Protein backbone atom coordinates (compact mmCIF):
# COMPACT_ATOMS: atom_id res chain seq x y z
CA UNK A 1 0.00 0.00 0.00
CA UNK A 2 2.86 2.39 0.84
CA UNK A 3 4.42 1.78 -2.57
CA UNK A 4 1.14 2.63 -4.30
CA UNK A 5 0.74 5.88 -2.33
CA UNK A 6 4.38 6.77 -3.01
CA UNK A 7 3.95 6.09 -6.74
CA UNK A 8 0.81 8.26 -6.90
CA UNK A 9 2.58 11.10 -5.08
CA UNK A 10 5.53 10.85 -7.49
CA UNK A 11 3.20 11.04 -10.52
CA UNK A 12 1.36 14.02 -9.00
CA UNK A 13 4.66 15.81 -8.32
CA UNK A 14 5.86 15.14 -11.86
CA UNK A 15 2.64 16.54 -13.34
CA UNK A 16 2.88 19.64 -11.13
CA UNK A 17 6.45 20.30 -12.24
CA UNK A 18 5.57 20.00 -15.91
CA UNK A 19 2.77 22.58 -15.62
CA UNK A 20 5.14 25.14 -14.10
CA UNK A 21 7.71 24.84 -16.88
CA UNK A 22 8.37 28.34 -18.25
CA UNK A 23 7.45 29.06 -21.84
CA UNK A 24 10.22 29.96 -24.28
CA UNK A 25 11.09 33.65 -24.39
CA UNK A 26 9.40 35.09 -27.45
CA UNK A 27 8.72 38.25 -29.38
CA UNK A 28 5.00 38.56 -30.11
CA UNK A 29 4.65 34.78 -30.33
CA UNK A 30 7.88 34.18 -32.28
CA UNK A 31 10.38 32.19 -30.22
CA UNK A 32 13.92 33.51 -29.84
CA UNK A 33 15.15 29.97 -30.53
CA UNK A 34 14.05 30.04 -34.19
CA UNK A 35 16.65 30.67 -36.91
CA UNK A 36 16.94 34.25 -38.17
CA UNK A 37 15.70 33.37 -41.68
CA UNK A 38 12.57 31.78 -40.20
CA UNK A 39 12.03 34.84 -37.95
CA UNK A 40 12.30 37.19 -40.94
CA UNK A 41 9.94 34.99 -42.99
CA UNK A 42 7.42 35.01 -40.13
CA UNK A 43 7.60 38.79 -39.87
CA UNK A 44 7.15 39.11 -43.63
CA UNK A 45 4.07 36.88 -43.38
CA UNK A 46 2.73 39.43 -40.87
CA UNK A 47 3.03 42.22 -43.44
CA UNK A 48 6.52 43.54 -42.69
CA UNK A 49 9.16 44.09 -45.36
CA UNK A 50 12.94 44.18 -45.00
CA UNK A 51 14.37 47.69 -45.19
CA UNK A 52 17.62 46.80 -46.95
CA UNK A 53 18.98 50.35 -46.72
CA UNK A 54 18.82 50.26 -42.90
CA UNK A 55 19.85 46.61 -42.49
CA UNK A 56 23.39 45.37 -41.98
CA UNK A 57 23.67 42.01 -43.68
CA UNK A 58 25.19 39.63 -41.20
CA UNK A 59 24.26 41.44 -37.98
CA UNK A 60 20.90 43.22 -38.13
CA UNK A 61 17.66 43.23 -40.09
CA UNK A 62 15.26 46.18 -40.05
CA UNK A 63 11.62 45.45 -40.85
CA UNK A 64 8.85 47.95 -41.50
CA UNK A 65 5.16 47.80 -42.30
CA UNK A 66 2.91 50.58 -43.56
CA UNK A 67 0.09 49.16 -41.40
CA UNK A 68 2.09 49.48 -38.15
CA UNK A 69 3.40 52.60 -36.46
CA UNK A 70 6.71 51.01 -35.46
CA UNK A 71 9.83 49.54 -37.08
CA UNK A 72 11.46 46.32 -35.90
CA UNK A 73 15.21 45.88 -35.64
CA UNK A 74 16.41 42.30 -35.13
CA UNK A 75 20.04 41.80 -34.11
CA UNK A 76 21.60 38.39 -34.32
CA UNK A 77 24.87 36.57 -33.85
CA UNK A 78 25.31 33.88 -36.47
CA UNK A 79 21.90 32.20 -36.58
CA UNK A 80 20.97 33.16 -33.00
CA UNK A 81 18.47 35.94 -32.47
CA UNK A 82 19.85 38.18 -29.70
CA UNK A 83 17.72 41.37 -29.56
CA UNK A 84 14.47 42.55 -31.10
CA UNK A 85 13.70 46.24 -30.77
CA UNK A 86 10.55 48.10 -31.75
CA UNK A 87 10.92 51.82 -32.44
CA UNK A 88 7.64 53.71 -32.49
CA UNK A 89 6.96 56.60 -34.86
CA UNK A 90 4.85 59.06 -32.89
CA UNK A 91 4.53 62.77 -33.45
CA UNK A 92 4.28 64.37 -30.01
CA UNK A 93 5.73 63.94 -26.55
CA UNK A 94 2.21 63.48 -25.17
CA UNK A 95 1.51 60.58 -27.53
CA UNK A 96 4.76 58.84 -26.56
CA UNK A 97 4.01 59.25 -22.84
CA UNK A 98 0.56 57.74 -23.32
CA UNK A 99 1.89 54.88 -25.46
CA UNK A 100 4.65 54.17 -22.90
CA UNK A 101 2.04 53.83 -20.17
CA UNK A 102 -0.18 51.58 -22.31
CA UNK A 103 2.73 49.31 -23.26
CA UNK A 104 3.95 49.14 -19.66
CA UNK A 105 0.48 48.28 -18.35
CA UNK A 106 -0.03 45.66 -21.06
CA UNK A 107 3.27 43.92 -20.30
CA UNK A 108 2.57 44.07 -16.57
CA UNK A 109 -0.73 42.31 -17.14
CA UNK A 110 0.66 39.81 -19.68
CA UNK A 111 3.68 38.83 -17.56
CA UNK A 112 1.94 39.14 -14.20
CA UNK A 113 4.91 41.04 -12.81
CA UNK A 114 5.80 44.53 -11.67
CA UNK A 115 8.54 46.21 -13.67
CA UNK A 116 11.76 47.63 -12.32
CA UNK A 117 11.55 51.36 -13.10
CA UNK A 118 14.97 52.93 -12.48
CA UNK A 119 13.94 56.22 -14.15
CA UNK A 120 10.47 57.78 -13.96
CA UNK A 121 10.75 61.40 -15.05
CA UNK A 122 8.31 63.30 -17.22
CA UNK A 123 10.34 62.93 -20.41
CA UNK A 124 12.55 59.94 -19.58
CA UNK A 125 11.02 56.72 -18.32
CA UNK A 126 12.22 53.14 -18.18
CA UNK A 127 10.38 49.96 -17.28
CA UNK A 128 12.33 46.69 -17.22
CA UNK A 129 10.52 43.35 -17.02
CA UNK A 130 12.16 40.03 -16.21
CA UNK A 131 10.49 37.53 -18.54
CA UNK A 132 12.25 34.37 -17.41
CA UNK A 133 14.75 33.67 -20.19
CA UNK A 134 14.86 37.29 -21.33
CA UNK A 135 14.36 40.94 -20.47
CA UNK A 136 11.81 43.35 -21.90
CA UNK A 137 12.51 47.08 -21.62
CA UNK A 138 10.11 49.90 -22.43
CA UNK A 139 12.09 53.14 -22.89
CA UNK A 140 10.78 56.67 -23.33
CA UNK A 141 13.22 59.46 -24.20
CA UNK A 142 11.56 62.75 -25.12
CA UNK A 143 14.39 65.18 -25.64
CA UNK A 144 14.38 66.87 -29.05
CA UNK A 145 12.19 64.33 -30.80
CA UNK A 146 9.72 61.85 -29.29
CA UNK A 147 11.36 58.43 -28.97
CA UNK A 148 9.73 55.27 -27.69
CA UNK A 149 11.36 51.86 -27.94
CA UNK A 150 10.56 48.37 -26.66
CA UNK A 151 13.50 45.99 -26.47
CA UNK A 152 13.27 42.20 -26.13
CA UNK A 153 16.64 40.78 -25.13
CA UNK A 154 17.64 37.20 -24.39
CA UNK A 155 19.57 36.73 -21.12
Amino acid sequence: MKKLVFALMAVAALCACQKDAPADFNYRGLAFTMPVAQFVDSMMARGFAVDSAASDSGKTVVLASPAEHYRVLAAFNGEKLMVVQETYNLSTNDSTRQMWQELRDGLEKELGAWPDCPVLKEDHKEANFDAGEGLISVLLENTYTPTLTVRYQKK
Side-chain angles (χ1 to χ4, degrees):
M1 185 66 167
K2 286 182 182 179
K3 289 182 182 179
L4 181 62
V5 170
F6 181 72
L8 289 174
M9 289 176 59
V11 170
L14 182 62
C15 290
C17 290
Q18 288 178 348
K19 289 179 183 174
D20 293 338
D24 286 338
F25 183 59
N26 68 72
Y27 166 73
R28 296 186 182 249
L30 301 175
F32 262 67
T33 55
M34 69 174 41
V36 174
Q38 185 180 0
F39 177 83
V40 171
D41 289 344
S42 298
M43 290 298 289
M44 291 175 78
R46 294 180 178 189
F48 284 83
V50 174
D51 182 351
S52 57
S55 298
D56 174 12
S57 62
K59 295 183 183 178
T60 61
V61 174
V62 177
L63 302 144
S65 170
E68 300 293 341
H69 54 277
Y70 60 90
R71 295 170 58 88
V72 176
L73 177 132
F76 50 93
N77 185 5
E79 277 299 306
K80 285 181 141 182
L81 190 59
M82 303 303 286
V83 176
V84 176
Q85 178 174 302
E86 297 175 345
T87 303
Y88 285 81
N89 300 319
L90 301 166
S91 58
T92 66
N93 288 348
D94 289 338
S95 60
T96 54
R97 286 185 199 106
Q98 179 182 357
M99 183 65 118
W100 182 89
Q101 190 65 47
E102 290 171 3
L103 289 168
R104 180 198 171 279
D105 293 347
L107 285 168
E108 184 179 313
K109 190 178 218 179
E110 177 184 331
L111 299 171
W114 287 89
D116 173 31
C117 296
V119 180
L120 277 177
K121 298 178 181 176
E122 181 70 16
D123 287 327
H124 185 189
K125 299 180 183 193
E126 294 181 26
N128 300 312
F129 292 89
D130 186 349
E133 295 179 14
L135 301 171
I136 302 173
S137 301
V138 183
L139 308 164
L140 170 71
E141 294 174 309
N142 286 338
T143 51
Y144 299 108
T145 58
T147 305
L148 178 64
T149 58
V150 180
R151 185 177 305 130
Y152 294 75
Q153 184 171 2
K154 186 125 173 121
K155 286 184 183 176

